[in-house]
Every structure is written in C-alpha cells, then in structure tokens.
Amino acid sequence: MTFPIGDMAPWLAALGHENVRVVRRNGRVVAGMGIIPMGHYFGGRSVPAGGITAVGVAPDQRGSGVGLFMLQLSLIEQQRQGAPIATLYPATTNFYRRSGFERAAHRIIYEVPLAGVGVRDYALDAAPAAPEEYALIKQLYAQKAAQSSALIDRPAFYWDNFLEPKTKRSYKFIVRRDGVPEGSVVFMHASFGEHLQVRDYVALTPAAGRRILTLLADHRSMVETMRVPGGANDGLLFLMPEQRHKAHWSLDLMLRVLDVAGALTARGYSPGVQAELHLDVDDALLPNNRGRFVLRLADGRGTVEKGGSGTLKLDARALAALYSGYLTSHELVAAGMLAAPPEALAAAGLMFAGPRPWLPDMF
Ligand SMILES: CC(C)(COP(=O)(O)OP(=O)(O)OC[C@H]1O[C@@H](n2cnc3c(N)ncnc32)[C@H](O)[C@@H]1OP(=O)(O)O)[C@@H](O)C(=O)NCCC(=O)NCCS
C-alpha cells in the first residue's frame, strides 16, 4: 500500500537486487528495504552514503519489532562495509530517531504563480539541450553540488529518471553567456490546468537564475503555477521581487552518522577555519561511535583522533543535525540535545557553518 502499484518493480530493478534486504518469517517475506549507494556533498566533497529507500513491513506484521530489527541490522552492515553516513526520507520521523537518525536537510516544494514571478531578464541565452549536452548538465550540477550542503552525488539511474523519463516528457535547457554555460533547468511537460513541475535547476550566477525564472514564467499563457524544489531561505526565489511563493509540501531528509571518525574526515569544511573540537559522543546502537574524539580543521579538511577532553557532549542524532548544518550548536542546546561550554559552542558553530542543507531529489 505504500508505493503506487507498478512503480516498485522498475525502481527495485534500477536499484539492483544486491542492494535490497528482506526479512523472512517462516519462509515468507515480511519486510524489505533498499540501500542506494550514493553520496551527499558537504563542504565541497561527496561523502559516501547509503540512501535507504522503500522501507516496508507487511501490514499484519507491523508493531512486532521487525521494522526496527531490519533497519538496525542494515545500519550495522553498512557501518561494517565502511559507509560513513546513511540517509532517508521518513514516513515516520520518530521511528528513525529511535535508531539515531535526525532531520538534516530540507526538501521544500514551493508553489509560485507564474504571473507573480516578476522577473523578465533575457540577458543570457536559454536553449534546449540535446542528448549530447546531458554531460554538460551533469557538470553544471556537480559545480552547484560542490558549493552546497546535502545535494546528492546522483547515481546514473537517477539522471536517466528525469533526463529521459519513461512516463512523461521532460524539457532541458542550458543557459549561456557568450557561449559559456552558467545554468540549466529541467522541467516536466505540463498541460493546460497542470502545474509546471521543475525537477532540477542550476544557477551558478544570479543572471542565470533570472533567465531560468524568466523562461519558466514565459509559460504563463498556458500554465498558471509552477512547483519548484528548494531549501529554506531559497536562493532562486530570493531573486523574485515579491514574495509570491508558498510552501506546497515539505519533508526533511534524515541522516545517520554510521562512523563518527569516517564521516568527520570525509566531508569538507570552510578553508578559512582552523579550530579544534573535543567531542563526547553517545551512540546506543553502534559502539564504535561511543566515546571521545578530537576533530581538528585546517585547509578545509578535518582530521580525527580518539581521546581528548570531550567538552562537547551530544548523541548520534544531535551529531547528524550538526554535521549537515541543519541545526547550529546553539540551536541544538536549545533543543536539549547538546551540552558544551560557550567556547566549544562557538567553535562548533564556526566549524560546521556552511550553506543551508537542502536537496531537490527524493528517494
Ligand atoms: C514504519 C514501519 C516500517 C515500522 O515497522 P514496524 O515493524 O511496524 O515497527 P516496529 O514494530 O519495529 O516498531 C518499532 C518502534 O517504532 C514505533 N513505530 C512503529 N511505527 C511507527 C509509526 N508509524 N509512528 C510512530 N512510531 C512507530 C513502534 O511503536 C515501536 O516502538 P515501541 O517499541 O516503543 O512500541 C512500518 O509500519 C511500515 O511498513 N509502514 C508502512 C510503510 C512505511 O511507512 N515505510 C517507511 C517509508 S520510509
């Protein structure tokens, strides 16, 4: 009942059966989930991640502990295989919090009346992209992702899903200044009365953002509204002169740190920050993560060693929200999830500062 009939089989085939886990009871499959090998960008580096998807327990087996059992076994397996983090979109947030996941990035679908976009800027060229130019769209995305927090390092089948979707047509445009690409946008075909669904966009410059908004708004004679994925304080919508957008839908991505030292060293940090943080981590599920760690930052990279004074006390959930930049150290104190003296709080605030985490992809 969780997934539309017909959608599951192709999704699992694309994922690969080796990435699917099931629980059997007396020979019958009673629960299953998939793990997409991918990455999330933090501080300019792609951190390898297991993207958990299609979690389901047979209705008559729910509430028996099988969901928790399957999830936790999979997290232990992923940690053993060396994945630093795991992520997912929760149907039920609290269920995943029980296993150390915490909200870590926004995915907001904004709805904007096309007549209210208010941007008309044709300074750059916008032209349809031919299949030979898909590589360029991917390069532009990689540039954007490197400047972002949480955008995913897309597996090939993700790209295929929206560059050449099977059920609907998608339109791809590249925005150029004097032949040099500065942005791209991918949106789905919309008929009269439907919303224009933007699947992805890259605006490396404000001029590219304005050209993309103009291109989308130029559909207003046929289509009244667009839906566009974005983050909190969204940068594209900030270019509009008026606040005519509203949030149509939102669900936060959740993140689980599987390997404290591995996750902290895999991401990038602001090159200007040179600092040291002494963490004391509590992790009820994964014993290797428990205890004291010292994180040192220099030249945009982090090194970790065990030990130290453990002045910043937090659990796996708080670490997930801090790691991604979803909550600051001060916000985590206010949530009752972190304790530290003022100097350590300030250092943590600086060390994990970065763009607000958001992503357009659902999985
Ligand atoms: C969500 C789901 C996977 C949970 O699996 P389950 O086997 O029923 O859960 P468990 O029996 O292992 O429950 C473990 C704990 O989580 C809690 N929990 C389970 N489902 C919950 C829900 N929907 N909301 C809040 N808490 C929930 C249980 O109460 C239990 O806590 P307790 O030990 O204090 O009683 C299952 O209900 C399901 O398949 N739902 C439909 C599909 C779905 O929502 N998938 C998630 C997509 S990401």
Side-chain angles (χ1 to χ4, degrees):
M1 302 243 299
T2 317
F3 303 91
I5 287 178
D7 282 8
M8 251 335 253
W11 178 238
L12 288 178
L15 176 61
H17 289 269
E18 68 282 6
N19 293 318
V20 175
R21 298 289 175 274
V22 298
V23 179
R24 287 195 170 81
R25 213 171 235 164
N26 303 323
R28 172 190 168 208
V29 172
V30 295
M33 61 185 277
I35 302 141
I36 310 167
M38 55 159 142
H40 287 272
Y41 283 89
F42 290 106
R45 301 185 73 207
S46 170
V47 178
I52 295 177
T53 182
V55 178
V57 172
D60 59 299
Q61 303 287 319
R62 290 182 190 162
S64 67
V66 64
L68 204 59
F69 167 80
M70 173 175 69
L71 177 68
Q72 296 193 344
L73 216 59
S74 148
L75 296 176
I76 293 165
E77 182 196 15
Q78 289 181 62
Q79 189 202 43
R80 286 209 185 111
Q81 291 170 347
I85 58 171
T87 57
L88 54 79
Y89 282 102
T92 53
T93 299
N94 209 31
F95 172 75
Y96 294 105
R97 278 183 165 159
R98 295 272 302 265
S99 298
F101 283 87
E102 193 43 85
R103 290 162 61 181
H106 295 284
R107 181 175 185 268
I108 303 168
I109 305 297
Y110 289 103
E111 192 167 297
V112 190
L114 288 178
V117 169
V119 178
R120 283 173 67 75
D121 186 337
Y122 298 94
L124 304 194
D125 297 324
E132 308 84 77
E133 293 172 306
Y134 290 173
L136 179 56
I137 292 179
K138 294 177 188 179
Q139 271 174 32
L140 287 163
Y141 174 80
Q143 271 179 272
K144 171 180 172 171
Q147 300 162 12
S148 80
S149 291
L151 254 64
I152 69 170
D153 200 352
R154 290 184 179 135
F157 72 88
Y158 257 74
W159 282 108
D160 299 343
N161 262 348
F162 68 88
L163 290 177
E164 289 296 338
K166 297 210 171 29
T167 49
K168 251 191 170 185
R169 175 181 285 210
S170 70
Y171 299 97
K172 286 86 37 179
F173 285 83
I174 296 178
V175 172
R176 291 181 171 87
R177 181 197 302 267
D178 302 328
V180 181
E182 290 189 9
S184 63
V185 59
V186 182
F187 53 91
M188 309 304 288
H189 181 81
S191 304
F192 196 68
E194 289 182 337
H195 305 283
L196 189 70
Q197 309 268 4
V198 178
R199 183 62 187 76
D200 194 26
Y201 70 86
V202 174
L204 295 180
T205 61
R210 286 193 296 271
R211 186 65 187 92
I212 288 168
L213 286 171
T214 305
L215 175 69
L216 295 167
D218 280 345
H219 289 76
R220 64 190 175 279
S221 55
M222 282 294 287
V223 180
E224 282 185 14
T225 49
M226 67 169 171
R227 288 189 177 163
V228 53
N233 300 9
D234 189 74
L236 184 69
L237 301 183
F238 186 73
L239 297 172
M240 300 193 324
E242 297 294 339
Q243 302 178 49
R244 298 291 307 280
H245 60 286
K246 62 177 189 202
H248 160 70
W249 188 85
S250 95
L251 184 66
D252 290 347
L253 181 89
M254 297 185 86
L255 184 148
R256 209 304 176 192
V257 174
L258 297 172
D259 172 1
V260 171
L264 290 171
T265 47
R267 60 158 291 170
Y269 299 85
S270 284
V273 179
Q274 193 155 344
E276 185 173 298
L277 192 63
H278 291 241
L279 302 124
D280 186 357
V281 182
D282 188 16
D283 190 328
L285 179 67
L286 302 170
N288 293 351
N289 286 342
R290 255 174 246 154
R292 294 181 172 190
F293 300 86
V294 183
L295 169 66
R296 290 191 183 87
L297 300 193
D299 305 321
R301 300 296 300 268
T303 52
V304 176
E305 68 180 75
K306 281 246 177 195
S309 56
T311 42
L312 188 117
K313 297 186 195 317
L314 75 180
D315 68 3
R317 283 177 44 210
L319 182 60
L322 183 69
Y323 181 86
S324 70
Y326 180 88
L327 290 183
T328 66
S329 49
H330 291 87
E331 287 164 343
L332 284 163
V333 171
M337 293 169 69
L338 186 149
E343 312 74 53
L345 273 187
L350 265 181
M351 291 165 87
F352 290 99
R356 288 181 187 82
W358 77 276
L359 66 171
D361 298 277
M362 187 84 191
F363 54 88

